[in-house]
Amino acid sequence: MSAADILLSAPPTLTDGEAKELARRFYGVDATATPLGSERDQNFRLRSDNGAQLLLKIANVAEDPESLRFENAALAHIAQVAPDFPVPRVIRTVDGSDMTRFEQDNDTYWVRAISWVAGRTLRDVPIDEALRRQLGSSLAELGRALRGFFHPAGNKQLLWDIRHTADLARWLEHIDDPSVRSLCEECIADFRSETLPQLPALRSQVIHNDLNASNVLVSDEPQPTITGVVDFGDMIHGPLVCDVAVGAAYQLLSGDDPLAGAIQFVEAYHRVNPLEPGEVGVLYDLIRARLVTTLIITAWRAGRYPENRDYILRNAHVAGAQLRLLCQSGATTATDRFARTCMPVRSPTRSSGTDEAEKMLKRRQALLGPAYRLFYRRPVHIVRGENVWLYDAQGKAYLDAYNNVPLVGHCHPKVVAALSDQAATLNTHTRYLHDTVLDYAEQLLAMFPADLDRVMFGCTGSEANELALRIARAHTGNAGVIVSQNAYHGNTTAISQLSPSYEAPETRADWVETIPPPDTYRRATGASEDEVAQEFLAEVNAAIDRLASRGIRPAALLLDAGFTSDGMFRAPASALAGAAELVRKAGGIYIADEVQAGFARFGATLWGFELHNVEPEIVTLGKPIGNGHPLAATIVRHDILESFASRGRYFNTFGGNPVSAAVGLAVLDAFHADELARNSRDVGEYLQQSLHQLAGQFDIIGDVRGSGLFAGADLVTDPVAKQHATEKASQVVNDMRERGVLISMIGPKANVLKIRPPLPFKRSHVDRVIETLSAVL
Ligand code: PMP
């Protein structure tokens, strides 16, 4: 029998009554039988009175029974090695067989039953990025589950096996559109000479080989999760990467950049089942080959069944357009994109069990004590991160619109590779010579004004501020520090004094003074920029005076230019520069805490201080600088560092070690290469506009603040009284979490929604945030 026979042989045509009778006879089940569609077999849904359901499958008369045994054996293998992976289970007949047969009109029909998998098919659901990534990781899990499985029937001949693409050239004439035909011809020629010879050297195993939307079932939630992968009829033993290429071909988008969807899919696949460089190198060609296969086989079938032509060719137009765009983008660019996506990564963990959260909560309280806080009423148990997505233990995807630490995206492949390579080579400290820390220092300092020419490394933002404070005191000979009213700068003994948002006021040291943030919404309603600036300066002067009344002069004014924990405010253009001048006149210096504001968070400029035209004597960096690795930096003018260095030494065992420095370098590399500063500006603008638009529809949003990918929505109980809607903010944040979008709230009354995502955030992600927000408001 040729591989084409099965596609030409009509499916069986049993009546419902006959199916019901087979169910009773072979499976001892008394059930109603409802027919379901199938390209080459006949399937019935069996429902018995007690509600139990099964799927009865009558195979095409041309089907080789060995192929059916192959499918059954694969399902049994998956059930054994990956019991949580959602595939149907094989149901045995009353006499214990996993398949049986009956004769009709001199033909033999094979019959099987499998368990019913709940859910609707993915065909009926719009596929967004979250779902596309879930598909990628599910296929990867399936690939892992099947890698130890072997069956002789895996060697079967199948038209849809991409390796046979070149054989389909004989049917090219069936494609009507001459331009598509010649594209297919070109692809086949490339495939024959370039791709095919590489395939025998790649990993081979049993693969599903047909992850299309009809073969995936999903739950009925607003953010659906995959409940089943079905139809193992195209399974073969072949190159693993063919499975990825087939799945990715179904994720090509219809717009200008079809590859973008495939890349998301492949990226998610790679996280779970990392691809080898040779596999990545042929992905683009294999995706094209799959499109060619689809175009040729459907054209050929349309010729054989002219009455069904329109239906068979319904997707040909889109596939032709996608092939054209793929060919235009060129193999080198596409392969480069896949290669960047598939840098070496480690396999993630995936834990199971839904009651685990309760147990973990109890363990956590018992072990970590009561000072810690968790986010969300129903805390999230995250086990994996990737770009702007986080995944919980059940595989549910959350769009991360909150975390600024993963500046260049969660688990950025470049950062992960740099970290693991250096960790596998050497990790010591800054008391030995090492190039990497110098390279890193050089590249980091190059991002600052020339005067800021020395950098010292630490592990946390708190440490960076602690060091800045010591340097400021050594240089000025003064002790006092001015911070904003609800500031947060860190958790050491000294810096917690400078973090009123965490420290109870009665314990405030006498060397600390606070100033209100430039609150244009409540405090200075309707005031002009100039008035707000004047008031801000008056507050700084008053703080200097209060210190002086206790005999203390200021060593520093320490500010986060985004006034994040104060509720996110933007000071008028001249205010911070003016405040810095006042403090300098009183004997102090200006320290810019750029832990929040730095690395283009505000979109318009690289650093927060640049947005305010003020040049600090010291800049502190933390959190995002290491993309999650503990790394921080204090950047300082060399003349200011002199007085500190003349009195003592600085050593930080972990700060600036070779692994941290390699991470820091990789973060800078990704930040520049992925053009994240530009992205923060462009997408940030879109985020701000979208939030302003939403505020026009919902009175509860009293004010929208921030800039770039740093946005705040001040929720109020009514727009005139401007009472803080604290409870509502908490409800919104928790409801969004339930719908798979993570944000948080800030401000002294925790009523300001805080949206501050990793910088690779795209417009489609903003749309998702806004849609979800408007649904829960
Ligand atoms: N400064 C600012 C502005 C911060 O937001 C934080 C942390 N939230 C810190 C300093 C302290 O950083 P770390 O937690 O790394 O000590």
Side-chain angles (χ1 to χ4, degrees):
M1 188 190 338
S2 88
D5 283 351
I6 196 145
L7 285 184
L8 293 178
S9 167
T13 51
L14 267 66
T15 62
D16 299 0
E18 284 169 327
K20 182 177 164 67
E21 175 51 23
L22 289 179
R24 199 196 47 72
R25 181 166 138 212
F26 292 131
Y27 294 96
V29 177
D30 191 12
T32 54
T34 319
L36 301 172
S38 167
E39 186 188 31
R40 58 192 195 218
D41 304 325
Q42 199 183 11
N43 293 333
F44 288 93
R45 176 181 189 155
L46 300 178
R47 218 188 304 231
S48 35
D49 283 348
N50 65 4
Q53 300 193 70
L54 290 181
L55 185 71
L56 185 73
K57 293 175 79 67
I58 324 295
N60 189 297
V61 71
E63 186 71 80
D64 180 355
E66 263 315 281
S67 287
L68 304 178
R69 289 195 186 96
F70 175 37
E71 281 181 45
N72 281 355
L75 291 178
H77 179 86
I78 297 164
Q80 184 196 349
V81 304
D84 290 335
F85 191 84
V87 289
R89 299 289 185 257
V90 178
I91 308 293
R92 297 200 165 258
T93 61
V94 280
D95 58 9
S97 315
D98 66 352
M99 53 195 262
T100 184
R101 64 185 154 172
F102 69 94
E103 309 279 330
Q104 196 175 56
D105 302 333
N106 291 333
D107 281 324
T108 302
Y109 291 92
W110 287 93
V111 180
R112 291 175 299 154
I114 53 176
S115 61
W116 183 258
V117 180
R120 51 188 172 150
T121 85
L122 189 56
R123 247 189 352 236
D124 304 332
V125 178
I127 302 186
D128 63 3
E129 188 183 339
L131 211 41
R132 195 170 293 122
R133 287 177 183 274
Q134 256 190 70
L135 281 171
S137 27
S138 289
L139 185 67
E141 282 176 34
L142 184 55
R144 286 167 70 94
L146 283 171
R147 66 184 169 183
F149 173 64
F150 177 76
H151 196 282
N155 201 20
K156 72 181 181 192
Q157 291 294 306
L158 183 82
L159 271 188
W160 289 102
D161 181 343
I162 320 181
R163 285 173 299 180
H164 302 323
T165 304
D167 304 341
L168 298 177
R170 64 184 192 276
W171 290 339
L172 269 169
E173 67 200 30
H174 293 283
I175 296 181
D176 288 339
D177 183 334
S179 67
V180 175
R181 201 182 321 131
S182 72
L183 267 183
C184 288
E185 243 167 325
E186 276 171 42
C187 291
I188 288 178
D190 286 354
F191 182 80
R192 195 179 274 127
S193 62
E194 306 286 331
T195 321
L196 206 51
Q198 298 185 52
L199 298 184
L202 303 180
R203 286 182 294 179
S204 266
Q205 63 164 76
V206 170
I207 57 175
H208 179 272
N209 202 30
D210 193 18
L211 193 79
N212 74 64
S214 302
N215 293 341
V216 177
L217 300 168
V218 294
S219 64
D220 219 355
E221 300 163 289
Q223 175 59 53
T225 49
I226 295 173
T227 55
V229 175
V230 296
D231 194 348
F232 285 67
D234 279 357
M235 201 170 48
I236 50 166
H237 192 286
L240 180 67
V241 64
C242 290
D243 209 16
V244 189
V246 172
Y250 285 110
Q251 299 311 320
L252 293 169
L253 305 179
S254 50
D256 296 346
D257 182 17
L259 217 52
I263 292 212
Q264 291 160 3
F265 175 87
V266 170
E267 188 172 21
Y269 184 100
H270 180 71
R271 298 280 162 169
V272 178
N273 199 6
L275 293 170
E276 295 177 355
E279 294 168 332
V280 177
V282 293
L283 247 182
Y284 163 79
D285 284 335
L286 290 175
I287 293 174
R288 279 198 324 174
R290 175 65 179 201
L291 288 177
V292 170
T293 303
T294 306
L295 284 163
I296 297 182
I297 294 181
T298 49
W300 166 72
R301 291 193 74 215
R304 307 217 44 132
Y305 300 103
E307 69 289 355
N308 222 358
R309 184 180 172 80
D310 289 349
Y311 178 75
I312 295 173
L313 291 179
R314 67 196 180 283
N315 296 325
H317 178 68
V318 175
Q322 286 171 334
L323 185 63
R324 189 168 293 117
L325 282 167
L326 278 198
C327 292
Q328 278 164 7
S329 84
T332 317
T333 316
T335 302
D336 255 22
R337 285 175 75 184
F338 281 123
R340 264 185 276 132
T341 302
C342 299
M343 305 284 285
V345 289
R346 277 174 178 273
S347 311
T349 51
R350 174 165 180 163
S351 83
S352 60
T354 36
D355 305 333
E356 260 176 35
E358 272 305 309
K359 276 198 225 141
M360 285 177 86
L361 268 177
K362 287 205 179 95
R363 264 187 91 203
R364 197 182 136 101
Q365 270 151 11
L367 292 165
L368 307 186
Y372 276 102
R373 297 287 183 279
L374 279 162
F375 282 154
Y376 309 114
R377 244 172 250 142
R378 254 175 13 103
V380 195
H381 175 193
I382 301 290
V383 294
R384 191 161 66 80
E386 159 190 341
N387 196 255
V388 297
W389 295 93
L390 291 169
Y391 298 86
D392 74 9
Q394 281 72 49
K396 177 172 168 171
Y398 296 83
L399 178 62
D400 186 356
Y402 168 75
N403 285 295
N404 61 341
V405 174
L407 179 81
V408 296
H410 287 279
C411 305
H412 192 292
K414 276 185 181 166
V415 179
V416 174
L419 185 142
S420 50
D421 284 355
Q422 187 57 48
T425 309
L426 174 76
N427 199 16
T428 50
H429 47 75
T430 46
R431 286 207 274 219
Y432 298 113
L433 289 173
H434 201 280
D435 272 331
T436 311
V437 72
L438 303 180
D439 293 345
Y440 179 45
E442 209 162 64
Q443 290 196 24
L444 188 60
L445 286 173
M447 296 168 81
F448 285 89
D451 281 359
L452 288 162
D453 54 359
R454 298 289 185 269
V455 53
M456 296 160 85
F457 294 108
C459 306
T460 66
S462 307
E463 279 187 352
N465 283 327
E466 180 81 34
L467 179 60
L469 174 65
R470 290 173 62 204
I471 295 172
R473 283 181 169 167
H475 177 72
T476 62
N478 300 334
V481 182
I482 299 169
V483 292
S484 63
Q485 226 160 40
N486 206 51
Y488 184 77
H489 294 287
N491 60 23
T492 62
T493 303
I495 302 299
S496 58
Q497 287 291 341
L498 301 175
S499 300
S501 65
Y502 266 52
E503 191 85 359
E506 58 272 22
T507 65
R508 183 81 43 242
D510 66 351
W511 50 270
V512 181
E513 267 305 331
T514 64
I515 48 171
D519 176 354
T520 41
Y521 180 54
R522 288 193 179 77
R523 225 175 105 84
T525 317
S528 69
E529 281 250 315
D530 197 43
E531 284 164 345
V532 176
Q534 288 314 317
E535 188 188 336
F536 187 72
L537 297 186
E539 290 287 354
V540 173
N541 264 331
I544 294 171
D545 289 347
R546 287 196 297 277
L547 283 173
S549 71
R550 302 196 286 272
I552 297 171
R553 281 158 55 92
L557 170 66
L558 169 63
L559 290 179
D560 157 19
F563 294 91
T564 313
S565 47
D566 288 285
M568 207 181 281
F569 295 101
R570 169 99 169 251
S574 59
L576 297 196
E581 271 320 301
L582 292 179
V583 171
R584 282 175 189 138
K585 278 201 194 104
I589 63 170
Y590 180 55
I591 305 173
D593 178 336
E594 294 275 342
V595 171
Q596 294 282 341
F599 293 102
R601 176 57 54 186
F602 291 165
T605 56
L606 192 51
W607 307 112
F609 63 80
E610 280 179 302
L611 195 65
H612 292 276
N613 283 316
V614 53
E615 193 173 316
E617 282 85 349
I618 303 182
V619 176
T620 55
L621 303 174
K623 310 214 289 191
I625 193 176
N627 214 54
H629 182 83
L631 178 60
T634 304
I635 305 212
V636 51
R637 276 184 8 210
H638 70 269
D639 54 314
I640 297 205
L641 184 57
E642 269 335 304
S643 9
F644 175 74
S646 64
R647 293 183 200 184
R649 294 174 294 177
Y650 175 69
F651 177 56
N652 187 318
T653 305
F654 302 113
N657 71 56
V659 170
S660 303
V663 166
L665 263 176
V667 172
L668 294 188
D669 179 16
F671 178 76
H672 297 306
D674 299 349
E675 298 189 63
L676 294 179
R678 190 172 55 82
N679 194 66
S680 177
R681 191 189 60 222
D682 296 350
V683 180
E685 221 163 82
Y686 182 64
L687 169 64
Q688 306 288 339
Q689 273 168 16
S690 307
L691 277 172
H692 277 287
Q693 253 171 27
L694 199 68
Q697 296 162 29
F698 291 91
D699 280 353
I700 189 163
I701 304 181
D703 193 26
V704 173
R705 298 195 284 271
S707 59
L709 285 174
F710 189 72
D714 198 320
L715 300 192
V716 289
T717 49
D718 95 73
V720 180
K722 298 180 183 174
Q723 280 292 330
H724 306 84
T726 304
E727 256 174 50
K728 181 72 183 174
S730 162
Q731 171 241 304
V732 166
V733 167
N734 280 288
D735 287 356
M736 287 187 72
R737 169 252 184 264
E738 296 299 332
R739 289 168 183 252
V741 177
L742 302 182
I743 63 165
S744 180
M745 57 255 181
I746 39 160
K749 302 274 195 259
N751 68 310
V752 183
L753 301 180
K754 175 160 77 164
I755 302 171
R756 188 199 48 180
L759 293 193
F761 220 61
K762 298 273 172 288
R763 281 168 176 250
S764 58
H765 302 132
V766 171
D767 292 341
R768 173 87 184 272
V769 171
I770 299 294
E771 275 160 32
T772 315
L773 187 52
S774 87
V776 303
L777 267 172

